[in-house]
């Protein structure tokens, strides 16, 4: 054991000496990085032990820099970005989660495109929808809702706020969602878009009305308010990925049983070359998701 400790100390001192020598020669990015590694290797970086200097420096850089070392983690850094740059943070979050959800669901369901890849054309399209449509729309609607009920803390006001959220905001978001999914699925005209919205609207609304109150009740009971948004994002991602995976598996099973739609050639993602059904694109989770 003592020999292992001596070897570890030797490696740490070697890293430290190398880092110091580099930092003296280069006062730019390389020098500052080397100095940070040297500091972490000595255990002088708050919140670190010195055993893993490189990972400590990377983690510190990702969570706000040295001034936040030992005091703030990834969640705190995200919450700070959410407070200082709310729209940008929501757009990045929505785009990343929407794209990742589609990719993971395709992988779990073994849903490949004609080239045998899980990264279908839907992945970037879903990411674009999340970042450029879902996040800005949700940001504006929630801002409007909060402004409308600002300073109103009575039980009547809280109940009214929930009703407005579920009866006005949720239908707007879900309608826009279904329109976007119809276009992503290849809708060419207004009638195809209208048919997609008509078929899928109440299905999507039922999911929103079931998941949203349950998640809100859990958050109100067990979580501080500033962590609600990441919690809703996580639940949305899990629910959406699960439903998307099950839907893809059912569709693929049906295609195998019917020989790809009684002779029709499969589309790019293994589905028939007809307009995708609304249930092929499940809601991203509790309303509002971002």
């Amino acid at each position: 054991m003592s020999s292992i400790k001596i070897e570890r100390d030797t490696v740490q001192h070697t890293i430290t000496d190398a880092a110091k020598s580099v930092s003296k020669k280069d006062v730019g990015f390389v020098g500052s990085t080397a100095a940070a590694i040297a500091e972490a290797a000595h255990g002088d970086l708050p919140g670190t032990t010195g055993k893993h200097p490189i990972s400590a420096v990377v983690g510190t850089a990702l969570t706000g820099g040295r001034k936040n070392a030992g005091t703030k983690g990834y969640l705190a850094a995200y919450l700070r970005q959410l407070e200082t740059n709310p729209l940008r943070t929501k757009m990045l979050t929505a785009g990343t989660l929407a794209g990742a959800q589609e990719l993971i669901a395709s992988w779990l369901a073994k849903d490949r495109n004609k080239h045998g890849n899980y990264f279908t054309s839907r992945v970037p399209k879903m990411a674009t929808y999340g970042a450029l449509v879902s996040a800005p729309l949700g940001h504006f609607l929630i801002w409007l809702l909060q402004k409308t009920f600002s300073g109103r803390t009575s039980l009547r006001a809280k109940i009214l706020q929930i009703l407005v959220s579920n009866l006005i905001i949720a239908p707007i978001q879900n309608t826009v969602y279904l329109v976007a999914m119809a276009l992503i699925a290849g809708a060419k005209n207004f009638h195809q878009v209208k048919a997609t919205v008509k078929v899928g609207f109440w299905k999507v609304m039922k999911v929103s009305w079931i998941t949203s109150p349950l998640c809100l009740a859990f958050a109100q009971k067990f979580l501080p308010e500033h962590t609600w948004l990441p919690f809703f994002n996580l639940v949305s991602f899990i629910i959406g990925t699960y439903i998307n995976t099950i839907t893809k598996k059912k569709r693929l099973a049906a295609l195998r049983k019917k020989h790809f739609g009684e002779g029709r050639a499969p589309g790019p993602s293994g589905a028939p070359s007809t307009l995708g059904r609304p249930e092929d694109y499940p809601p991203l989770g509790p309303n509002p998701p971002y």
Side-chain angles (χ1 to χ4, degrees), residues 16-261:
T16 302
D17 294 339
K20 286 183 176 180
S21 62
V22 173
S23 62
K24 291 179 181 179
K25 297 177 181 179
D26 189 344
V27 295
F29 174 77
V30 176
S32 60
T33 303
I37 294 176
E39 182 182 33
H42 274 108
D44 296 333
L45 190 64
T48 64
T49 62
K51 295 181 180 180
H52 307 286
I54 296 179
S55 60
V57 170
V58 173
T60 300
L62 292 175
T63 53
R66 191 189 186 287
K67 61 181 180 180
N68 294 324
T71 61
K72 295 186 177 182
Y74 295 102
L75 178 58
Y78 175 80
L79 293 175
R80 190 178 67 168
Q81 285 299 313
L82 192 61
E83 182 179 355
T84 56
N85 301 289
L87 181 56
R88 183 183 68 184
T89 304
K90 291 176 183 179
M91 291 175 66
L92 291 174
T93 300
T96 301
L97 292 182
Q101 182 186 108
E102 178 66 25
L103 180 61
I104 293 174
S106 296
W107 176 70
L108 292 174
K110 309 300 180 185
D111 187 8
R112 301 179 177 90
N113 60 17
K114 62 182 180 181
H115 301 294
N117 299 322
Y118 295 117
F119 194 93
T120 67
S121 61
R122 291 182 181 180
V123 175
K125 290 178 181 178
M126 288 297 294
T128 301
Y129 161 77
L132 301 183
V133 179
S134 177
L137 177 64
H139 178 76
F140 171 74
L141 291 176
I142 298 308
W143 169 82
L144 191 61
L145 179 68
Q146 291 175 338
K147 184 175 182 179
T148 302
F149 289 91
S150 178
R152 302 169 63 178
T153 58
S154 65
L155 178 61
R156 180 176 177 273
K158 291 181 179 179
I159 294 176
L160 185 59
Q161 186 175 15
I162 294 175
L163 290 176
V164 171
S165 176
N166 284 276
L167 298 179
I168 297 179
I169 290 182
I172 293 174
Q173 288 182 304
N174 289 333
T175 299
V176 173
Y177 167 80
L178 288 171
V179 170
M181 294 309 101
L183 295 175
I184 288 176
K188 301 297 184 181
N189 53 56
F190 173 77
H191 296 291
Q192 290 180 325
V193 174
K194 182 180 178 181
T196 300
V197 175
K198 184 177 180 180
V199 172
F201 181 77
W202 289 113
K203 294 180 180 179
V204 175
M205 287 304 304
K206 288 178 182 178
V207 175
S208 296
W209 285 341
I210 291 173
T211 57
S212 183
L214 291 176
C215 290
L216 181 59
F218 180 87
Q220 289 176 333
K221 180 68 175 179
F222 299 106
L223 300 176
E225 189 171 351
H226 64 277
T227 63
W228 286 11
L229 187 61
F231 169 70
F232 285 135
N233 285 339
L234 177 62
V235 174
S236 301
F237 180 77
I238 294 174
I239 292 176
T241 302
Y242 172 76
I243 298 177
N244 205 349
T245 301
I246 297 301
T247 302
K248 289 177 182 296
K249 286 183 177 180
K250 289 181 178 179
R251 187 180 69 242
L252 291 174
L255 290 175
R256 285 192 293 267
K257 185 177 180 179
K258 296 181 179 180
H259 299 286
F260 298 105

